[in-house]
Amino acid sequence: MFALAALATFALIGAALYNVLERELTRHQDDDLNTNLQNIRYSIERVGDTERWARVQAKMDTLTPADGRVRFWVLSDDPRFQYGKGLDEFERIVQGADGRGSISLPQHGQSFRTLSQHIGPLDQRPAVRLIVGVDVAPFGHTLRAFLSALALLSLSAVALVMLLGYWIARVGLQPLQQLSREAQALRPKTLSQRLQVAELPVELSDLATAFNGALGRLEEAYQQLEAFNADVAHELRTPLANLIGGTQVALSRPRSAAEFQDALQSNLEELERLRSVINDMLFLARADQGEAATGLVDACVAREVEKTIEFFEFILDETGTTVGIEGETAARATMNVALFRRALSNLLQNAIEHSAANARLVVDIAQQAGAVWVRVSNPGLSVAPAHLPRLFDRFFRVDAARHDDGLHHGYGLGLAIVKAIARMHGGAVAATSAQGITTIGFSLRGGPGG
Ligand SMILES: Nc1ncnc2c1ncn2[C@@H]1O[C@H](COP(=O)(O)OP(=O)(O)OP(=O)(O)O)[C@@H](O)[C@H]1O
Ligand SMILES: [Mg+2]
């Protein structure tokens, strides 16, 4: 590419120089011709007899150099007033209106650039035509020599540019090669490594910084994935151990059909919970891949909250808990109704689980900056501030030990699903807990009306 660019440049410059030189040489010749023509014309104009004509001839002889580079011809009807070779000897004569022209001589293959002028008669002398010519051969020589020098120079320069270009490209690309070596050495195990930005030229440091940013995000995602895998293995181990243990106990001695039925029944419950956990994890995995909510409709939020609470009627009656709907009950939002109810159910479940009997829960609906927030509050033990941001992490439980005792049956996926559903609706989640009131909520984008 460098060579091609250089070639194009030199070709352009060469053509321009050649043009200038040719014009200058032509002008120089024209000056030469003109000077000689005026000089002799002045003499001839004043000559009308043969004696003085001989002097003019001598003058033209002296002005003709030995190499014949400049020549004079005088053409006339009277042979006494002729000079130089006769018209019949010219191989070719071209004559322009302005007196410029060219003449070719047969013997020596010489070509002349000419200038001619008509001179009127005087006394014995008839009208004559004076022609001055300069040999174009030296002119051609100069141009040819210049051209070959130019071609040679250009070619060497192109070769030099090629070599230098290769070297510059090599030196210039070294940081890039270094970068690609470093990038090639990256493995999932070495994701914490970063490309060295400090030593890079400015053009590359932006790229390397962007690449490092991507690495950082990848590392985070990879760590999340690894932690998730560990969590899955850990969370599924306990129920599986329970299942195996229960089955072994059941089989350890002969039992009645009723006892086996009991054992199978409890196994079935455990297996169904396992299935629901696995379904939850699959849902979260799909949501993580950026799946957005489909089947969106514009719905009245308070109406959907009411319908969701209806599902909890039985457990609410049993614990004596009441639920109030407060805030902007006219708010509308664009939602997938099934997902909205699932998120709210998870919040209500938690609220019922973490409040004492006969508590009053509140579902608050609020419109904020184009979003609709739905928050569930319940009285109960407060969550430590340090735990609040982690509530929405999958498998996170404030009191994880309780789970292992077999007393608490949550897997810690409920709020992670709330967060995923909020994100699928372009919303967010928030949690506060103080003075015995815990409030956890999520947002949706507001409906067309608000
Ligand atoms: N209303 C609440 N009051 C106090 N703590 C809460 C409340 N809601 C959630 N938490 C805490 O947050 C943790 C995570 O809640 P999340 O709903 O994600 O899981 P879970 O209820 O334990 O299990 P799952 O919902 O999967 O059955 C809970 O274990 C609990 O410690
Ligand atoms: Mg829960």
Side-chain angles (χ1 to χ4, degrees), residues 108-136:
H108 312 292
Q110 265 175 315
S111 255
F112 290 89
R113 187 180 165 75
T114 60
L115 193 61
S116 71
Q117 191 158 29
H118 180 86
I119 301 171
L122 184 73
D123 300 343
Q124 303 170 12
R125 180 177 62 75
V128 297
R129 175 164 285 278
L130 168 66
I131 304 176
V132 185
V134 277
D135 196 350
V136 294

Side-chain angles (χ1 to χ4, degrees), residues 93-321:
I93 177 160
V94 182
Q95 189 68 58
D98 59 349
R100 292 179 200 288
S102 67
I103 286 175
S104 308
L105 292 183
Q107 306 103 323
H108 312 292
Q110 265 175 315
S111 255
F112 290 89
R113 187 180 165 75
T114 60
L115 193 61
S116 71
Q117 191 158 29
H118 180 86
I119 301 171
L122 184 73
D123 300 343
Q124 303 170 12
R125 180 177 62 75
V128 297
R129 175 164 285 278
L130 168 66
I131 304 176
V132 185
V134 277
D135 196 350
V136 294
F139 173 79
H141 263 130
T142 311
L143 276 182
R144 269 196 301 281
F146 177 74
L147 201 62
S148 47
L150 201 67
L152 201 73
L153 260 173
S154 296
L155 285 180
S156 341
V158 166
L160 193 69
V161 167
M162 235 160 93
L163 284 173
L164 282 176
Y166 178 74
W167 179 73
I168 289 170
R170 264 188 74 97
V171 170
L173 288 179
Q174 238 162 29
L176 202 61
Q177 280 166 349
Q178 172 68 23
L179 210 62
S180 92
R181 269 197 299 277
E182 279 181 36
Q184 270 168 3
L186 289 173
R187 297 280 176 276
K189 288 282 166 243
T190 60
L191 270 184
S192 56
Q193 274 181 13
R194 293 289 177 271
L195 302 180
Q196 307 294 318
V197 180
E199 298 155 20
L200 291 176
V202 267
E203 300 86 7
L204 284 179
S205 64
D206 278 355
L207 176 71
T209 311
F211 190 78
N212 279 344
L215 268 184
R217 290 188 293 277
L218 263 185
E219 188 190 7
E220 206 176 302
Y222 186 75
Q223 276 170 356
Q224 259 176 18
L225 199 68
E226 285 209 314
F228 181 61
N229 284 343
D231 283 344
V232 168
H234 178 75
E235 298 298 332
L236 296 186
R237 205 165 43 193
T238 316
L240 281 175
N242 289 347
L243 271 174
I244 292 169
T247 311
Q248 278 170 343
V249 170
L251 289 174
S252 60
R253 60 184 171 81
R255 286 177 196 278
S256 68
E259 281 175 317
F260 275 129
Q261 212 166 8
D262 273 356
L264 280 178
Q265 186 62 43
S266 98
N267 277 5
L268 184 62
E269 276 166 24
E270 193 75 24
L271 285 168
E272 269 169 354
R273 279 169 27 72
L274 271 181
R275 180 174 62 185
S276 92
V277 167
I278 288 169
N279 281 342
D280 284 353
M281 291 195 310
L282 285 176
F283 177 83
L284 286 173
R286 277 205 304 275
D288 270 358
Q289 279 162 16
E291 203 174 273
T294 52
L296 296 176
V297 293
D298 175 51
C300 169
V301 178
R303 182 88 200 86
E304 294 307 321
V305 172
E306 261 170 41
K307 283 191 193 160
T308 313
I309 293 170
E310 278 170 22
F311 279 97
F312 286 85
E313 229 166 89
F314 177 71
I315 183 156
L316 290 175
D317 283 351
E318 203 175 54
T319 54
T321 312

Side-chain angles (χ1 to χ4, degrees), residues 346 349-350 353-354 413-415:
N346 285 357
Q349 237 168 38
N350 284 350
E353 218 170 277
H354 292 92
L413 290 177
L415 290 182

Side-chain angles (χ1 to χ4, degrees), residues 333-380:
T334 312
M335 60 168 87
N336 173 315
V337 174
L339 289 179
F340 175 83
R341 291 190 189 173
R342 187 172 180 183
L344 186 61
S345 297
N346 285 357
L347 293 182
L348 287 170
Q349 237 168 38
N350 284 350
I352 295 168
E353 218 170 277
H354 292 92
S355 54
N358 302 316
R360 179 179 149 78
L361 313 184
V362 173
V363 179
D364 178 66
I365 301 167
Q367 280 179 312
Q368 272 171 19
V372 178
W373 278 89
V374 179
R375 299 189 181 86
V376 179
S377 314
N378 69 282

Side-chain angles (χ1 to χ4, degrees), residues 280 346-347 349-351 353-354 378 381-383 391 393 396-399 402 408-416 438 440:
D280 284 353
N346 285 357
L347 293 182
Q349 237 168 38
N350 284 350
E353 218 170 277
H354 292 92
N378 69 282
L381 286 178
S382 296
V383 180
L391 289 188
D393 288 356
F396 177 79
R397 289 167 307 244
V398 171
D399 195 357
R402 281 205 295 160
H408 178 80
H409 285 295
Y411 277 89
L413 290 177
L415 290 182
T438 302
I440 302 181

Side-chain angles (χ1 to χ4, degrees), residues 9-159:
T9 312
F10 283 119
L12 261 170
I13 293 177
L17 280 180
Y18 185 84
N19 233 304
V20 169
L21 183 70
E22 193 178 28
R23 252 213 327 264
E24 280 304 301
L25 282 177
T26 309
R27 200 174 55 79
H28 192 73
Q29 279 182 333
D30 283 350
D31 286 352
D32 218 11
L33 283 174
N34 215 13
T35 318
N36 279 311
L37 186 82
Q38 297 315 329
N39 192 348
I40 300 300
R41 180 190 64 116
Y42 186 77
S43 307
I44 293 178
E45 268 172 355
R46 281 160 185 72
V47 168
D49 55 90
T50 43
E51 287 111 79
R52 287 172 64 198
W53 176 250
R55 287 224 290 279
V56 174
Q57 278 183 323
K59 183 174 177 183
M60 288 192 282
D61 282 345
T62 41
L63 281 177
T64 305
D67 58 8
R69 200 179 56 79
V70 180
R71 298 259 188 118
F72 299 88
W73 292 275
V74 178
L75 311 180
S76 136
D77 293 338
D78 186 342
R80 289 177 303 165
F81 290 96
Q82 287 207 352
Y83 182 78
K85 299 189 168 124
L87 186 59
D88 48 331
E89 275 186 50
F90 297 140
E91 185 185 57
R92 209 159 58 81
I93 177 160
V94 182
Q95 189 68 58
D98 59 349
R100 292 179 200 288
S102 67
I103 286 175
S104 308
L105 292 183
Q107 306 103 323
H108 312 292
Q110 265 175 315
S111 255
F112 290 89
R113 187 180 165 75
T114 60
L115 193 61
S116 71
Q117 191 158 29
H118 180 86
I119 301 171
L122 184 73
D123 300 343
Q124 303 170 12
R125 180 177 62 75
V128 297
R129 175 164 285 278
L130 168 66
I131 304 176
V132 185
V134 277
D135 196 350
V136 294
F139 173 79
H141 263 130
T142 311
L143 276 182
R144 269 196 301 281
F146 177 74
L147 201 62
S148 47
L150 201 67
L152 201 73
L153 260 173
S154 296
L155 285 180
S156 341
V158 166

